Amino acid sequence: MEYIEYFEEIKKHQSCRDFTDQPVGADELKQLQEYFHRCRRLIPELKLEMLVYNATAADKIGRAAGYNGFLIGAPNYLLLFSETGDHWLENAGFVGEALTLKLTQMGIDSCWMTINDGKAIRDNLVPDLEKELGVLIAFGYKAKEEKLARLDIKSPSNVKMHKRTGPYAAPKIELSDLLYNKKWGKPVDVDLIYRDLKEPLLALGVSQSFFNRQPYRVILDDDIISLIAIPDEMTSEQDIKLGQGIAMFNFEAVLAAHRPTDTKWHFEAPDRDLGLPEDAEFVAWCAI
Ligand SMILES: Cc1cc2nc3c(=O)[nH]c(=O)nc-3n(C[C@H](O)[C@H](O)[C@H](O)COP(=O)(O)O)c2cc1C
């Protein structure tokens, strides 16, 4: 079982919206399937099924996925179906992120597609499957060389181009804005965070999200971090939970590189006062 340097892949990853026609080869798809069966899960009890399609699936997906019904044309699509149950969407996002990073490691580009009508997609592609569609990712090889300018999507009517300054893809929330110290609203001195913890936090802070909205914050304590959801009217309940799963994967996978034993996320609230405002919602905590 090969080792993935998740932090390196997370820094490398950026969404691709312009693919060549070249389909991903059978060897790589086999590696992806193998990785899918053994990659970490948030809720291991929930059974998942990963199906990979070629470009012709786009006709069957139609406007049921993509921003404003605009599905990115790609030589391959990855669909992750899941049993439903508590936190099934967070789990699907978590595993979807693992798969995205495996693709990145293999030099394959990808882009998450928001699912506007999962039932329609399932009925058109696999009507007999008794699982719900959780994740849809377009993937293949990027058509153009990476440009320095990046897309900053605040909303469909507010899209700006930014010059890339750091190693990361789209502009992301700064650690100083993401983190609170023990209680909501209390600032963290980012310079004092030791490297073993800073890398997992940076990985969480550059997570992909619907329209790059990143509707969450993190409360840092001596022994745990808590992921907190903040309201975001633009993002659907489904994409909010997928985004939380992505953020949780990035943190857990990078932390694991610095810890002898794996730490896991827990969904029950910790026994302490986080001082949350009314519109913020506790999501999960993870021992550090
Ligand atoms: C749940 C989810 C849904 C997304 N849906 C779309 C989409 O429909 N179309 C698209 O072009 N990008 C989509 N994205 C990609 C985001 O726009 C992208 O992750 C974000 O802008 C950050 O850019 P980066 O991935 O390059 O860091 C989606 C991302 C997530 C996590």
Side-chain angles (χ1 to χ4, degrees), residues 177-227:
D177 295 325
L178 174 75
L179 300 176
Y180 292 129
N181 186 11
K182 296 193 170 80
K183 277 196 188 215
W184 187 265
K186 291 210 172 353
V188 166
D189 186 344
V190 174
D191 293 336
L192 294 182
I193 304 173
Y194 53 98
R195 181 172 156 253
D196 283 10
L197 185 59
K198 203 171 202 171
E199 286 189 354
L201 290 169
L202 280 168
L204 188 158
V206 298
S207 299
Q208 294 119 272
S209 57
F210 174 86
F211 271 126
N212 205 23
R213 301 280 296 171
Q214 300 192 274
Y216 39 70
R217 299 290 181 267
V218 168
I219 298 183
L220 182 58
D221 212 328
D222 298 330
D223 52 344
I224 63 167
I225 69 158
S226 299
L227 182 66

Side-chain angles (χ1 to χ4, degrees), residues 10 13-17 65-72 97 110-116 134 136 150-153 168-172 206-214 235-236 238-243 246:
I10 288 166
H13 177 272
Q14 54 187 72
S15 297
C16 175
R17 299 182 176 87
Y67 291 152
N68 301 321
F70 179 72
L71 180 75
I72 302 287
E97 176 63 353
S110 59
C111 191
W112 288 67
M113 295 283 101
T114 189
I115 296 166
N116 308 316
L136 201 166
R150 301 305 319 282
L151 209 56
D152 181 16
I153 315 160
Y168 304 113
K172 305 289 176 150
V206 298
S207 299
Q208 294 119 272
S209 57
F210 174 86
F211 271 126
N212 205 23
R213 301 280 296 171
Q214 300 192 274
T235 310
S236 68
Q238 164 143 349
D239 285 343
I240 283 187
K241 293 192 166 153
L242 291 175
I246 295 170

